[in-house]
Amino acid sequence: MPEIRREDGVVREKLSAIFRAEEQRLASSLSQARAGLQHRPSKGQQVEVAVRDFILGHLPRRFDVGSGEVFDRWGAVSDQLDIVISNDDQPFRHGPDQAGFYLAEGVSAIGEVKSRLTRTELRDIAKKGRSVRRLEPAPLQMNEPLSSNISDASRFVESFPTFAIALETSMTLATINEALNAEVPVPAGAPARGNLGLLDALFVLGRGYFVNLADGQGALRMLNPETGETFEGWAYMGPETLLGLFTWLDAVVARRYRWQGVATPYILRSISTDGM
């Protein structure tokens, strides 16, 4: 049998090349929107569609991508969201260009899209994040299998992975880092409900990506070579923006396998309330 040669870095370089091409396509979508559309909201919508298409094309098939509002069984509702990544437990399915409602338990991640990143836009991202953190998905059911570590479960199962992607910015890396710590700071200590940051990751074409490492014990972590300790809080992870987005989503989106449907508690609660 012929010998199979394994060369270090070949697969990584192949993936890097694929995602560099994707970055060029997204940047091109922004240029096309500016050239062909004068109405500002329409430009933003065209860019959002391009980003949703990219994400949908790089997720496992059990996930879908849309936009709209998420609500929980207690009646809390999020702001309008640019990206809602739903899973196969979600009973509401909407077209890729049609905003709709989603049950919290059928949502696996939430994102925002910005054509241009500024401090003002970061504040808007924080506002959306605050509305998301008000939501309370139902806790794990008995004997429910879950793929997540303890640190990530507090953020990504009891709440949702929240991210933002910007197609351009005039901000330097240092300025972005300073703005993140000012506008969407990472609370000290172990993640827990009521002690979660309003944003978990930021991806900026042409600049790279930043990840909220929280207490440093999640699936994605960085080791300080000088001290041997893991970094905490916001960290710059590298220049490959979309490869970073792909990797981050693969690492933090929980794979849950439920034994029951997610809609029944909403209906029973409604019946109980109406009957009082």
Side-chain angles (χ1 to χ4, degrees):
M1 293 179 63
E3 181 182 353
I4 299 175
R5 295 182 59 190
R6 291 185 172 89
E7 299 181 26
D8 292 342
V10 171
V11 174
R12 171 60 187 248
E13 180 51 40
K14 214 175 265 293
L15 287 172
S16 293
I18 291 171
F19 286 102
R20 282 196 298 268
E22 295 281 8
E23 287 199 35
Q24 292 174 1
R25 290 192 189 96
L26 276 188
S28 176
S29 71
L30 178 59
S31 299
Q32 291 172 5
R34 285 177 170 162
L37 296 167
Q38 296 301 315
H39 187 240
R40 191 175 184 86
S42 297
K43 293 180 187 179
Q45 290 166 6
Q46 184 169 331
V47 170
E48 290 169 18
V49 169
V51 173
R52 286 197 292 268
D53 285 345
F54 163 77
I55 294 174
L56 181 61
H58 296 85
L59 286 174
R61 293 183 181 180
R62 70 184 304 260
F63 298 105
D64 199 0
V65 180
S67 64
E69 298 176 350
V70 180
F71 62 98
D72 67 18
R73 65 200 187 286
W74 308 108
V77 183
S78 74
D79 291 348
Q80 178 76 17
L81 304 167
D82 297 335
I83 298 172
V84 178
I85 298 178
S86 58
N87 56 58
D88 54 10
D89 287 314
Q90 180 58 242
F92 295 120
R93 182 171 297 177
H94 310 285
D97 303 330
Q98 178 185 5
F101 280 109
Y102 296 85
L103 301 188
E105 292 76 16
V107 172
S108 294
I110 285 167
E112 281 297 297
V113 180
K114 299 298 182 184
S115 296
R116 186 175 183 82
L117 181 69
T118 63
R119 288 190 77 115
T120 299
E121 296 293 4
L122 261 180
R123 293 187 192 105
D124 182 67
I125 291 168
K127 175 179 175 292
K128 299 288 183 68
R130 194 169 289 108
S131 77
V132 169
R133 295 304 187 214
R134 288 198 297 265
L135 301 171
E136 293 187 29
L140 294 176
Q141 299 171 5
M142 186 177 297
N143 298 324
E144 180 185 325
L146 170 69
S147 172
S148 183
N149 69 24
I150 295 175
S151 179
D152 284 346
S154 299
R155 296 193 287 165
F156 306 145
V157 178
E158 295 178 14
S159 187
F160 309 92
T162 62
F163 66 98
I165 179 168
L167 273 64
E168 67 176 10
T169 188
S170 61
M171 302 168 74
T172 65
L173 291 177
T175 304
I176 294 173
N177 186 68
E178 186 275 327
L180 284 169
N181 283 288
E183 306 298 339
V184 281
V186 178
R193 180 171 294 283
N195 189 44
L196 300 176
L198 302 180
L199 184 67
D200 294 307
L202 173 68
F203 304 86
V204 187
L205 297 192
R207 291 289 189 271
Y209 67 111
F210 297 78
V211 170
N212 170 355
L213 298 174
D215 61 351
Q217 302 305 310
L220 287 180
R221 61 185 70 179
M222 289 182 66
L223 192 67
N224 186 329
E226 297 180 358
T227 65
E229 298 177 349
T230 55
F231 284 106
E232 299 180 4
W234 283 108
Y236 178 69
M237 304 293 283
E240 296 181 286
T241 307
L242 294 188
L243 179 58
L245 175 59
F246 171 76
T247 303
W248 183 79
L249 286 172
D250 188 67
V252 306
V253 172
R255 274 66 168 171
R256 295 182 64 169
Y257 301 92
R258 296 179 173 91
W259 308 119
Q260 299 174 345
V262 301
T264 303
Y266 289 77
I267 305 303
L268 293 180
R269 183 171 178 78
S270 175
I271 293 173
S272 174
T273 302
D274 292 343
M276 291 179 64

